[in-house]
Amino acid sequence: MMSIARPLPLLPRRALLALILATGSAAPGAALAQATRGRDDELQHAAATLSYGAASLEMSRLALEKTQNPAVRRFAEAEIAEQTTVAEVLTILTEARNSVAPQIQPKMQQRLDLERMRELSQGFDQAYVNHQIGGHRELLTLQERYLAKAQEPVFKAVALLARGHIREHLATLEVLKQDVQ
């Protein structure tokens, strides 16, 4: 009995053809497995980055409602603009690679933190800045872990840019922290 080859669900036929042409083999085996793993890494990285970004975006929108501090307001406005752009870029990239973009939602703990911040009547600015510092540190770690194994040049370039911006934000937040204490 002859088995019928089924199309690979995770790798589009065009990508498979390109992989075959690049490897010079009609049975790419390990190269195909590596490409699929790499693709999964890219999509997982994008989804995690989008989750952190969504949390920061919501927290910064809340900061615009609650803060009276002009420096906190400026940071929140810049963070909203940046996270909106990062979400657009990663959504375009993941849709191009996967045909479906990952869900853009903060994780459960991030949503609980947001609810706690909504309830604060005093000390909001300090709590916001501290929360942003923690979130940016986690996001920096995420970018660095991804960059240590990144294979896809476009996703790697986005992560490199993000890492630079995150470092800048952490420096800004450390100065801002002194201002809100």
Side-chain angles (χ1 to χ4, degrees):
M1 187 166 147
M2 188 171 172
S3 69
I4 299 174
R6 295 183 185 179
L8 297 170
L10 294 176
L11 200 58
R13 288 188 183 116
R14 286 184 186 160
L16 179 58
L17 180 59
L19 184 62
I20 290 169
L21 292 174
T23 62
S25 170
L32 177 60
Q34 184 177 358
T36 301
R37 260 193 319 278
R39 176 189 168 128
D40 290 345
D41 288 344
E42 316 306 338
L43 296 176
Q44 288 173 3
H45 169 259
T49 299
L50 287 167
S51 177
Y52 278 104
S56 184
L57 181 68
E58 291 304 315
M59 190 70 70
S60 294
R61 286 179 178 152
L62 180 61
L64 290 182
E65 294 173 18
K66 295 188 82 122
T67 189
Q68 298 299 315
N69 185 313
V72 171
R73 180 172 292 284
R74 277 191 305 275
F75 182 85
E77 288 169 344
E79 186 69 5
I80 290 167
E82 185 174 84
Q83 291 306 323
T84 300
T85 301
V86 168
E88 289 171 0
V89 168
L90 286 176
T91 298
I92 290 167
L93 289 175
T94 56
E95 284 176 348
R97 297 271 301 204
N98 196 41
S99 76
V100 176
Q103 295 263 331
I104 305 174
Q105 290 185 7
K107 294 179 181 176
M108 180 58 80
Q109 183 59 50
Q110 294 165 329
R111 288 188 296 232
L112 292 172
D113 291 345
L114 182 62
E115 287 308 311
R116 280 189 215 109
M117 294 289 284
R118 282 188 207 287
E119 296 171 5
L120 283 178
S121 57
Q122 291 185 336
F124 175 84
D125 290 349
Q126 186 174 6
Y128 169 73
V129 170
N130 288 334
H131 191 273
Q132 287 293 313
I133 289 171
H136 278 75
R137 285 181 180 155
E138 290 176 19
L139 190 55
L140 180 59
T141 299
L142 175 73
Q143 302 309 311
E144 289 174 342
R145 283 186 186 149
Y146 169 72
L147 286 167
K149 62 182 178 181
Q151 295 181 18
E152 208 286 332
V154 175
F155 279 87
K156 185 175 183 176
V158 170
L160 285 166
L161 288 170
R163 182 177 66 182
H165 284 279
I166 295 163
R167 287 177 176 160
E168 289 175 16
H169 283 205
L170 282 168
T172 300
L173 286 162
E174 289 298 334
V175 171
L176 194 53
K177 183 177 181 176
Q178 301 306 312
D179 187 43
V180 297
Q181 287 185 346

